[in-house]
Amino acid sequence: MNNYILIAMILALLIPVYEAWQDDDIWQKMLAFASIATKTSIMMLLISVLRDDWSIGVVAVIILSVGNAGLMLLANLIKRLNEV
């Protein structure tokens, strides 16, 4: 049962990958990459619970809390560069 949940999560991960590949707008690509990071860390949390390995879970929580901050800084930088 847990393997089916993991396969469904991987299939849901492919949706933003397809969206980023299809669209040329930089903001749509950044949104897709943020979605990929969030979904990947949720998958890591599921795997850490299934394997009872909390070190993987700690890394997933760090990715969830800090991972998208770098992406937002990059979006701000690109926005400022386009204004110049």
Side-chain angles (χ1 to χ4, degrees), residues 14-25 28-29 31-32:
L14 293 176
I15 295 169
V17 170
Y18 175 73
E19 182 66 30
W21 172 68
Q22 183 181 10
D23 202 358
D24 287 335
D25 186 24
Q28 290 294 329
K29 285 187 180 191
L31 282 172

Side-chain angles (χ1 to χ4, degrees), residues 27-53:
W27 300 110
Q28 290 294 329
K29 285 187 180 191
M30 293 181 81
L31 282 172
F33 291 144
S35 177
I36 290 168
T38 303
K39 286 182 175 109
T40 305
S41 59
I42 297 288
M43 286 173 43
M44 287 174 62
L45 280 173
L46 177 72
I47 290 170
S48 72
V49 169
L50 293 177
R51 292 182 60 188
D52 197 27
D53 186 4

Side-chain angles (χ1 to χ4, degrees), residues 45-66:
L45 280 173
L46 177 72
I47 290 170
S48 72
V49 169
L50 293 177
R51 292 182 60 188
D52 197 27
D53 186 4
W54 292 106
S55 61
I56 297 173
V58 168
V59 171
V61 168
I62 290 171
I63 291 171
L64 270 175
S65 61
V66 181

